[in-house]
């Protein structure tokens, strides 16, 4: 179920695919909520997604800090290629409450991160709501995402920003979640 803000009894993760300026790329931040089943399994529900383009870095940071406060995010996973490191530096300065996880994406790491998404979905540990606007965009991008003739993953003519936001977030979930990170509140 989509959420506009977090609750004090849940653990929230963020997966951030960065963007800059006036390019066609979107900055996408996916918010995941750790939910514990009756069997004690830790599932991750995609409960919110911020998607915006053509903003300044300061504008994005302002919006992200507001979002992180709304959900009391404890883990922020960021694609750190190119200017992503600048986002990590600035976000950790203005929102020091979170733990920051840096993800360098390469051809091989993208493939591994996509396998991580697949693994969590197959094990019923990642839940994506089907009736929301942001999940329709995610489904559209995931269906277009494939390996091209050069062996690179991309969305072709469709942006891959929500897919990468999920992938970067799942990278942190696999490393810090599933009982390995901060315990449930």
């Amino acid at each position: 179920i989509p959420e506009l803000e977090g609750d004090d009894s849940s653990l929230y993760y963020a997966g951030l695919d960065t963007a800059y300026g006036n390019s066609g790329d979107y900055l996408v931040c996916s918010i995941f909520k750790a939910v514990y089943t009756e069997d004690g399994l830790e599932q991750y529900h995609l409960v919110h997604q911020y998607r915006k383009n053509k903003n300044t870095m300061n504008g994005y940071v302002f919006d992200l800090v507001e979002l992180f406060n709304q959900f009391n995010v404890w883990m922020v996973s960021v694609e750190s290629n190119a200017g992503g490191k600048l986002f990590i530096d600035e976000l950790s300065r203005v929102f020091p409450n979170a733990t920051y996880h840096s993800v360098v994406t390469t051809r091989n790491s993208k493939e591994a991160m996509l396998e991580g998404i697949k693994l969590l979905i197959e094990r019923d540990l990642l839940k994506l709501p089907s009736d929301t606007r942001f999940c329709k965009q995610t489904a559209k991008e995931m269906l277009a995402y494939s390996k091209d003739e050069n062996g690179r993953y991309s969305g072709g003519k469709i942006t891959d920003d929500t897919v990468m936001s999920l992938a970067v977030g799942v990278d942190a979930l696999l490393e810090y979640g599933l009982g390995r990170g901060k315990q449930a509140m």
Side-chain angles (χ1 to χ4, degrees), residues 1-5 46-49 71 129-135:
I1 298 173
E3 298 179 8
L4 295 177
E5 61 183 40
L46 179 61
V47 295
H48 193 84
Q49 200 167 64
F71 286 93
S130 60
D131 61 346
T132 61
R133 183 179 55 80
F134 66 82
C135 280

Side-chain angles (χ1 to χ4, degrees), residues 99-128:
T99 299
Y100 290 87
H101 175 68
S102 175
V103 179
V104 175
T105 57
T106 63
R107 183 182 298 184
N108 292 336
S109 70
K110 276 188 179 185
E111 190 168 350
M113 288 189 295
L114 293 173
E115 287 298 317
I117 293 172
K118 183 179 171 185
L119 172 73
L120 290 182
I121 289 173
E122 286 176 350
R123 292 192 176 171
D124 201 29
L125 298 176
L126 181 61
K127 300 288 191 177
L128 308 174

Side-chain angles (χ1 to χ4, degrees), residues 3 18 29 36 38-39 48 55-56 69 82 85 88-89 94 102 104 113 116 129 136 164 166 174 176 178:
E3 298 179 8
T18 61
C29 184
Y36 295 88
E38 291 178 12
D39 301 338
H48 193 84
N55 200 353
T56 64
N69 279 318
K85 175 76 170 93
I88 292 171
D89 292 345
V94 296
S102 175
V104 175
M113 288 189 295
K136 288 178 183 171
M164 290 312 301
L166 282 177
L174 289 171
Y176 296 96
L178 304 170

Side-chain angles (χ1 to χ4, degrees), residues 16-20 27 57 61 76-92 100-103:
L16 178 62
D17 181 45
T18 61
Y20 306 96
L27 181 137
M57 183 174 161
V61 168
V76 179
S77 184
V78 183
E79 181 182 21
S80 61
N81 295 24
K85 175 76 170 93
L86 296 173
F87 272 91
I88 292 171
D89 292 345
E90 186 62 13
L91 286 168
S92 63
Y100 290 87
H101 175 68
S102 175
V103 179

Side-chain angles (χ1 to χ4, degrees), residues 20-64:
Y20 306 96
N22 291 321
S23 74
D25 279 349
Y26 284 81
L27 181 137
V28 179
C29 184
S30 297
I31 304 291
F32 302 91
K33 178 181 184 176
V35 175
Y36 295 88
T37 66
E38 291 178 12
D39 301 338
L41 289 176
E42 189 174 57
Q43 289 182 332
Y44 304 102
H45 294 219
L46 179 61
V47 295
H48 193 84
Q49 200 167 64
Y50 168 93
R51 182 175 181 264
K52 192 170 185 179
N53 70 349
K54 299 181 182 175
N55 200 353
T56 64
M57 183 174 161
N58 287 336
Y60 286 133
V61 168
F62 179 84
D63 290 350
L64 290 169

